[in-house]
Amino acid sequence: MLVSVEGVYRNGRVELTKNPNNIPEGTSVIVTFVKSNEIDLESQGIDKEQAKLLRANLATFSEDWDSPEMGIYDDYDAAKANL
């Protein structure tokens, strides 16, 4: 039986986002660390309400940011190093 449950690694422990159903205590697990592209806003001092307001304020720029022409900025540091 394979069951996948998302979690976060903190202070040497894995914290699950939800407890899996019907899994007996002591069941062996394999942990795979996945690099996240998400930004931890709380670590930057931004709470959920502030994030919601920030997203709403920046929404007017999303069409420009998502346009194919803006792809040139996706790896700006590498492109700049090749100048």
Side-chain angles (χ1 to χ4, degrees), residues 55-69:
R55 179 180 285 276
N57 288 338
L58 296 176
T60 58
F61 300 102
S62 67
E63 186 175 332
D64 290 333
W65 286 335
D66 295 334
S67 71
E69 297 84 21

Side-chain angles (χ1 to χ4, degrees), residues 13-80:
R13 295 180 175 266
V14 175
E15 300 172 7
L16 303 179
T17 54
K18 65 178 185 174
N19 288 330
N21 295 327
N22 303 321
I23 304 295
E25 282 292 316
T27 299
S28 296
V29 299
I30 296 173
V31 177
T32 303
F33 292 92
V34 180
K35 184 176 180 181
S36 173
N37 289 332
E38 293 182 20
I39 299 170
D40 181 4
L41 295 178
E42 287 182 4
S43 72
Q44 303 299 316
I46 300 173
D47 64 24
K48 287 186 180 190
E49 251 338 281
Q50 291 169 319
K52 191 185 296 184
L53 179 60
L54 184 59
R55 179 180 285 276
N57 288 338
L58 296 176
T60 58
F61 300 102
S62 67
E63 186 175 332
D64 290 333
W65 286 335
D66 295 334
S67 71
E69 297 84 21
M70 296 301 278
I72 194 169
Y73 297 106
D74 289 348
D75 202 358
Y76 177 78
D77 292 330
K80 185 177 176 183

